[in-house]
Amino acid sequence: MPARRRRHRQNDYAWTGFLAGVFLAACLFVAPSLDAIGAQQHNKEKKKDKKAAQLSKAFRGKLPITELSEDEATLHALNRLAFGPRPGDVERIKKLGLEKWIDAQLHPDSLDDRTLDTRLEDYPALKLSTAELVDRYPNPQQAAKRAGITLEEYKRGMDAEADKSKAPREVVLELSEAKILRAIYSERQLQEVMTDFWFNHFNVFAAKGPVKWMLPDYEREVIRPHTLGKFRDLLYATAKSPAMLFYLDNWLSADPKAYAQHAKEIEQRRQRFNRLFGGDSRIMIMSRPNANRPNFPRPQNRPQPGQPPQGQAKQPRGLNENYGRELMELHTLGVDGGYTQNDVTQAAMALTGWTMSAPRKDPEFHFDEKIHGAEPKRVLGHTIHAGGMKDGEELLDLLVTQPSTAHFISTKLARKFVSDTPPVALVERMARTFADSDGNIREVMKTMIYSPEFWSRETYRAKIKTPFELVASALRTTGANVERPRALVMWSARIGEPLYACQPPTGYSDKAEAWVNSGALLNRLNFGIVLATGKMNGAQLDVSALLGQNSGTDPDAVLTHAVEVLLGGQVSAETRAVLQKQLNDPQVLQAMFDDPVKNVDAGMITGLVLGSPEFQRR
Amino acid sequence: MTISRRVFLKGGGVAMLGFGAMPSFLARTVEATATPNKKILVALFQRGAMDGLNVVVPFGEPAYYRMRPSIAIPQPSRTGELSALDLDGFFGLHPSLQALQPLFHDRQLAIVQAVGSPDNTRSHFDAQDYMESGTPGVKSTEDGWLNRYLQQQKEEQSSPFRAIAMGQQMPRMLQGAAPALAIPDIRQFQVMAPGQISGAMSGGFEALYAQTVDHALRGTGQETFEAIDMLKKIRQQNYQPANGAQYPKGRFAQSLQQIAQMIKGNIGLEVAFLDLGGWDHHVNEGSVQGQLSNLLREFGDSLAAFHKDLGETMRDVTLVTMSEFGRTAAENGNRGTDHGHANCMFVLGGDVLGGKVYGKWPGLEREHLYEGRDLNVTTDFRQVLGELVQIHLGNNQLKYVFPGFTYDPHKALGLVRA
């Protein structure tokens, strides 16, 4: 089973069959010229390396940086451990010392983040509990029923008052806007990068049932507190979170035998009731709101509100392997982690009874003994028999300590922070730290950051920015003032990454090929243009100020300055030549002549640089 | 593994496109030797679970009328009032699908009844997910079946328009390693710089991406600018539907029209996706008139216009519809229907052996219903899609496109001409 699924997960498989034919042909016709360019580039870089003098101890501390200059190392750190540089960041870090900056990022609580907190006050949903959110942003169907009107009437009412602020999707929008604001403005940059990483690792999907109301709690209470802590705590927190319990169905999972016994008892009680009072108590029991029966979650095909429950034949409940499988495949061991289908089934059995009360009202984790499979379970050769809820905990503890888990988590971190194909030796060192430190994420990150591989020439600008990273870094780099990032949320989706809306439990890919395609690229370019020409709703960018006051008068100075500000001065000679040529385009010269404020060139150059291949990388 | 070198341009195709320089990938494919015409598949998802029993009405089934006292579609009538449009003496089309009836009798339209997923979920989310990933019951499949087809049937130099989804987001069905393009409207597929500098910006980007050493970005950049150029040409042609076809108003019809436009523009389109929502009629579904009726009119008229517009070209095109599950056999207390199980699918095109309602009819008597309430699934949806992939598109690797599904050629419905 795992073998088949692996083929599904990794994109490489698509190409294997063609390697012989297509790839060979491609090599023959395309590769030589590219290789030549690559080699030239490489030689140039080699020369630069030699020029890069030994960096000062005050700057780098114990960081093993040998191939990058101070500026490059600083930019690299800002691009990997943060969402890119803001104006002035490079100078600040060089003054402070890179190691000191990194150390502070590894301890986010030491950083003052009040400026961001002030901005986030505009987003009340972030601080509310799930129950409060359900109440304040009610499901239209339920709200209409409560008000005694039809759904259409309710929706018309919302339209008439232009009051869409109560719509449930507002919860996700607020969260999305906040995510963008945090990425742009938080001082705790690494914390934000890690939150993005771990949410994606333990992905849940906003559009599945009531998950949207659970999201603020999930990110705030489950993910965020543990991003640099113990992996075990993160795993426990997600396993017990209503969002994950619902998204991967574990709240419905029951031992069929235990469930049958339980159902029998209920039936007996019903018959006793009927004998005593006559009539059919079934309808009464079934029409009670779900919330009143916390110990008895219903299958998903519940009757719609306002509709009689008759005809909804109750299905027997059984084991649901969904979470058990993804827990092993995606959360801990990895698809090659050496488990079998039987391990999945047994793990799912260990987790029966891990459910929640009132999923659509006030969801809370609880353990339901009545649907738990009590017999001993056998997972990865170990017997799990702690009893009751402890069965699940024993399972999680077992998974956390597996070498496969250390390796899988380290690989994913290295892929996110180092390269699409991280060096094997680096991953092994990280995995060793993971095992030795009882899954301490901060320690694993340190091992990675204090590795020469992290600072190698090969690693520099080797990652393609995800759409979210592109949006955040463009806003940071240009120093635009963002007041209402709703348009930015939309752009992230347009470029291919709708926030909180990744449907499969795999989360978004961390590899370039997932993000580089025609439609997405065009949207990357258009995003840069909209931002640079001052047309981004809710985000003001003054390009003239960014590129210097007298930008209109000297196009050359503008170009030099743009490359300096937006790309840290690092751009290939070819890119520079292209940009230069565009400035001399007759159409542009005419437009500059016509424009009294003379910022056509500044907007255009900024747009081109934001859309350039260099800016797509980090 | 077969590497098909199918030709994008045939006969007059070059002439149609013939302004300016031909995009390089097209030039390359033209050199390939002529093989059979390129086949095209259009996949249409009806999101929200269409009530298949009121769309392809089993008017010969007494239980149907018993269970749907207020919403049933009356048996075909000779006196002119709205009623089912007879197909074969047992099934009839909803009267709002009048535009499709001639296509059925001309054998261009086939219908499969009682088709669906073996998975018993009644969650829209899960069922759509399964139908698009093509792996019912397996949630972690990352790519969609239509993308796996593209991965498998690798084109040496494929058009950026090989796979198009009409919409803002890439649908699950087309997600995956093979390139695909999501565009809400082909008129928007361009560099959006202010007029005075648009030429310079567009040219600037093109030059930037042409010179980069980054292999992936360079290739994608080239593709993107070729694609922009091609669409510009199609747009300039000021599209008029052919053969007097009249598309209804609305996004859905417009998407279908743009797909027709791209097919006729010979820009290398091979698979297209679009969807139409609003089928979740729990309350006041209506009968011959009402909510479902209105939506069906938009659906049927659009499909008929698409067919008419493409005319002769339809011989290479197959359009297939699907919806995540059907609805309860009986109507509920709100003159609507709830989430059920089996549904019907439409298959339209020149290759289609139409004029027939395919699939084994399981019956609507209580003992024949799935879990005592829903139409039973007698045909797996992958059987239908599998036949289209294998016979219409000519791909034999169904194990790869639908992993976990055993395609049995002996059970083939015979929906399309080999």
Side-chain angles (χ1 to χ4, degrees), chain A residues 10-36:
Chain A
Q10 290 178 354
N11 293 326
D12 321 39
Y13 67 111
W15 311 101
T16 46
F18 300 104
L19 285 177
V22 179
F23 189 67
L24 190 69
C27 290
L28 283 174
F29 294 111
V30 185
S33 55
L34 271 182
D35 275 357

Tab-separated table of all heavy atoms in Angstrom, chain A residues 10-36:
chain	number	residue	atom	x	y	z
A	10	GLN	N	4.840	11.878	-4.981
A	10	GLN	CA	6.007	12.592	-5.479
A	10	GLN	C	5.912	12.775	-6.975
A	10	GLN	O	5.504	11.897	-7.688
A	10	GLN	CB	7.260	11.835	-5.093
A	10	GLN	CG	7.437	11.949	-3.596
A	10	GLN	CD	8.619	11.204	-3.098
A	10	GLN	OE1	9.268	10.506	-3.858
A	10	GLN	NE2	8.898	11.347	-1.835
A	11	ASN	N	6.276	13.940	-7.360
A	11	ASN	CA	6.072	14.286	-8.752
A	11	ASN	C	7.091	13.644	-9.675
A	11	ASN	O	6.843	13.498	-10.858
A	11	ASN	CB	6.116	15.793	-8.920
A	11	ASN	CG	4.934	16.445	-8.220
A	11	ASN	OD1	3.860	15.850	-8.197
A	11	ASN	ND2	5.121	17.588	-7.645
A	12	ASP	N	8.188	13.271	-9.076
A	12	ASP	CA	9.282	12.739	-9.904
A	12	ASP	C	8.811	11.606	-10.808
A	12	ASP	O	9.274	11.453	-11.908
A	12	ASP	CB	10.396	12.164	-9.052
A	12	ASP	CG	10.641	13.017	-7.832
A	12	ASP	OD1	9.669	13.514	-7.251
A	12	ASP	OD2	11.783	13.200	-7.498
A	13	TYR	N	7.861	10.824	-10.262
A	13	TYR	CA	7.483	9.613	-10.977
A	13	TYR	C	6.999	9.904	-12.382
A	13	TYR	O	7.131	9.110	-13.271
A	13	TYR	CB	6.402	8.885	-10.202
A	13	TYR	CG	5.093	9.614	-10.147
A	13	TYR	CD1	3.983	9.151	-10.810
A	13	TYR	CD2	4.979	10.793	-9.423
A	13	TYR	CE1	2.793	9.828	-10.758
A	13	TYR	CE2	3.798	11.457	-9.363
A	13	TYR	CZ	2.699	10.985	-10.016
A	13	TYR	OH	1.530	11.635	-9.976
A	14	ALA	N	6.419	11.106	-12.552
A	14	ALA	CA	5.822	11.396	-13.845
A	14	ALA	C	6.848	11.330	-14.958
A	14	ALA	O	6.543	11.030	-16.097
A	14	ALA	CB	5.196	12.776	-13.823
A	15	TRP	N	8.070	11.590	-14.580
A	15	TRP	CA	9.064	11.757	-15.625
A	15	TRP	C	9.856	10.489	-15.912
A	15	TRP	O	10.463	10.372	-16.962
A	15	TRP	CB	10.052	12.856	-15.220
A	15	TRP	CG	9.305	14.053	-14.762
A	15	TRP	CD1	9.083	14.447	-13.476
A	15	TRP	CD2	8.631	15.009	-15.568
A	15	TRP	NE1	8.328	15.573	-13.444
A	15	TRP	CE2	8.044	15.937	-14.716
A	15	TRP	CE3	8.484	15.153	-16.951
A	15	TRP	CZ2	7.312	17.011	-15.194
A	15	TRP	CZ3	7.757	16.228	-17.407
A	15	TRP	CH2	7.172	17.130	-16.541
A	16	THR	N	9.823	9.575	-14.985
A	16	THR	CA	10.747	8.455	-15.094
A	16	THR	C	10.705	7.796	-16.454
A	16	THR	O	11.736	7.543	-17.064
A	16	THR	CB	10.461	7.398	-14.013
A	16	THR	OG1	9.057	7.190	-13.988
A	16	THR	CG2	10.938	7.849	-12.657
A	17	GLY	N	9.488	7.578	-16.941
A	17	GLY	CA	9.354	6.862	-18.198
A	17	GLY	C	9.931	7.607	-19.374
A	17	GLY	O	10.237	7.036	-20.403
A	18	PHE	N	10.110	8.892	-19.230
A	18	PHE	CA	10.550	9.672	-20.368
A	18	PHE	C	12.034	9.932	-20.370
A	18	PHE	O	12.575	10.442	-21.330
A	18	PHE	CB	9.859	11.027	-20.361
A	18	PHE	CG	8.393	10.867	-20.427
A	18	PHE	CD1	7.627	11.041	-19.299
A	18	PHE	CD2	7.798	10.513	-21.611
A	18	PHE	CE1	6.281	10.872	-19.357
A	18	PHE	CE2	6.446	10.356	-21.672
A	18	PHE	CZ	5.680	10.532	-20.543
A	19	LEU	N	12.642	9.628	-19.262
A	19	LEU	CA	14.047	9.985	-19.137
A	19	LEU	C	14.829	9.538	-20.359
A	19	LEU	O	15.617	10.278	-20.914
A	19	LEU	CB	14.631	9.376	-17.866
A	19	LEU	CG	14.182	10.115	-16.608
A	19	LEU	CD1	14.725	9.441	-15.375
A	19	LEU	CD2	14.604	11.573	-16.662
A	20	ALA	N	14.516	8.303	-20.765
A	20	ALA	CA	15.253	7.757	-21.893
A	20	ALA	C	15.054	8.599	-23.150
A	20	ALA	O	16.017	8.996	-23.797
A	20	ALA	CB	14.810	6.323	-22.153
A	21	GLY	N	13.826	8.909	-23.474
A	21	GLY	CA	13.535	9.575	-24.732
A	21	GLY	C	13.619	11.090	-24.657
A	21	GLY	O	14.557	11.700	-25.155
A	22	VAL	N	12.658	11.658	-23.972
A	22	VAL	CA	12.510	13.104	-23.994
A	22	VAL	C	13.726	13.807	-23.420
A	22	VAL	O	14.266	14.737	-23.990
A	22	VAL	CB	11.267	13.503	-23.172
A	22	VAL	CG1	11.119	15.011	-23.178
A	22	VAL	CG2	10.055	12.821	-23.754
A	23	PHE	N	14.154	13.311	-22.274
A	23	PHE	CA	15.223	13.999	-21.590
A	23	PHE	C	16.506	13.971	-22.410
A	23	PHE	O	17.213	14.957	-22.522
A	23	PHE	CB	15.437	13.354	-20.215
A	23	PHE	CG	16.370	14.151	-19.360
A	23	PHE	CD1	16.005	15.404	-18.892
A	23	PHE	CD2	17.620	13.656	-19.046
A	23	PHE	CE1	16.876	16.144	-18.122
A	23	PHE	CE2	18.479	14.399	-18.264
A	23	PHE	CZ	18.110	15.647	-17.804
A	24	LEU	N	16.729	12.829	-23.013
A	24	LEU	CA	17.918	12.701	-23.838
A	24	LEU	C	17.869	13.728	-24.962
A	24	LEU	O	18.828	14.458	-25.223
A	24	LEU	CB	17.989	11.279	-24.431
A	24	LEU	CG	19.296	10.951	-25.122
A	24	LEU	CD1	20.414	10.844	-24.105
A	24	LEU	CD2	19.167	9.657	-25.914
A	25	ALA	N	16.698	13.799	-25.593
A	25	ALA	CA	16.536	14.754	-26.685
A	25	ALA	C	16.761	16.164	-26.178
A	25	ALA	O	17.471	16.972	-26.783
A	25	ALA	CB	15.141	14.630	-27.286
A	26	ALA	N	16.177	16.457	-25.036
A	26	ALA	CA	16.310	17.803	-24.481
A	26	ALA	C	17.777	18.129	-24.219
A	26	ALA	O	18.248	19.228	-24.493
A	26	ALA	CB	15.502	17.912	-23.190
A	27	CYS	N	18.503	17.144	-23.705
A	27	CYS	CA	19.917	17.365	-23.407
A	27	CYS	C	20.685	17.697	-24.674
A	27	CYS	O	21.492	18.610	-24.705
A	27	CYS	CB	20.535	16.120	-22.779
A	27	CYS	SG	19.932	15.843	-21.127
A	28	LEU	N	20.354	16.945	-25.710
A	28	LEU	CA	21.093	17.130	-26.950
A	28	LEU	C	20.914	18.534	-27.503
A	28	LEU	O	21.848	19.159	-27.977
A	28	LEU	CB	20.609	16.112	-27.988
A	28	LEU	CG	21.142	14.706	-27.770
A	28	LEU	CD1	20.491	13.736	-28.745
A	28	LEU	CD2	22.657	14.687	-27.955
A	29	PHE	N	19.671	19.018	-27.430
A	29	PHE	CA	19.394	20.271	-28.116
A	29	PHE	C	19.524	21.500	-27.230
A	29	PHE	O	19.865	22.562	-27.681
A	29	PHE	CB	17.992	20.241	-28.728
A	29	PHE	CG	17.893	19.220	-29.819
A	29	PHE	CD1	17.128	18.086	-29.656
A	29	PHE	CD2	18.630	19.385	-30.979
A	29	PHE	CE1	17.064	17.133	-30.655
A	29	PHE	CE2	18.560	18.436	-31.980
A	29	PHE	CZ	17.781	17.306	-31.809
A	30	VAL	N	19.202	21.332	-25.982
A	30	VAL	CA	19.116	22.514	-25.130
A	30	VAL	C	20.291	22.632	-24.184
A	30	VAL	O	20.832	23.703	-23.976
A	30	VAL	CB	17.815	22.474	-24.287
A	30	VAL	CG1	17.664	23.750	-23.505
A	30	VAL	CG2	16.633	22.252	-25.217
A	31	ALA	N	20.661	21.515	-23.630
A	31	ALA	CA	21.582	21.561	-22.500
A	31	ALA	C	22.943	22.218	-22.796
A	31	ALA	O	23.426	22.972	-21.964
A	31	ALA	CB	21.790	20.170	-21.944
A	32	PRO	N	23.547	21.963	-23.945
A	32	PRO	CA	24.893	22.505	-24.109
A	32	PRO	C	24.954	24.020	-23.885
A	32	PRO	O	25.792	24.500	-23.140
A	32	PRO	CB	25.226	22.158	-25.563
A	32	PRO	CG	24.387	20.983	-25.870
A	32	PRO	CD	23.147	21.167	-25.084
A	33	SER	N	23.999	24.717	-24.496
A	33	SER	CA	24.050	26.171	-24.363
A	33	SER	C	23.819	26.582	-22.914
A	33	SER	O	24.496	27.447	-22.381
A	33	SER	CB	23.018	26.813	-25.270
A	33	SER	OG	21.750	26.278	-24.979
A	34	LEU	N	22.875	25.923	-22.272
A	34	LEU	CA	22.594	26.265	-20.884
A	34	LEU	C	23.785	25.976	-19.997
A	34	LEU	O	24.130	26.748	-19.110
A	34	LEU	CB	21.403	25.445	-20.375
A	34	LEU	CG	20.032	26.068	-20.607
A	34	LEU	CD1	18.974	25.169	-20.002
A	34	LEU	CD2	19.972	27.453	-19.977
A	35	ASP	N	24.383	24.830	-20.259
A	35	ASP	CA	25.551	24.459	-19.469
A	35	ASP	C	26.627	25.522	-19.573
A	35	ASP	O	27.275	25.878	-18.594
A	35	ASP	CB	26.128	23.128	-19.960
A	35	ASP	CG	25.393	21.969	-19.307
A	35	ASP	OD1	24.524	22.255	-18.467
A	35	ASP	OD2	25.681	20.818	-19.650
A	36	ALA	N	26.794	26.009	-20.806
A	36	ALA	CA	27.830	27.014	-21.010
A	36	ALA	C	27.545	28.243	-20.160
A	36	ALA	O	28.420	28.756	-19.467
A	36	ALA	CB	27.886	27.400	-22.485
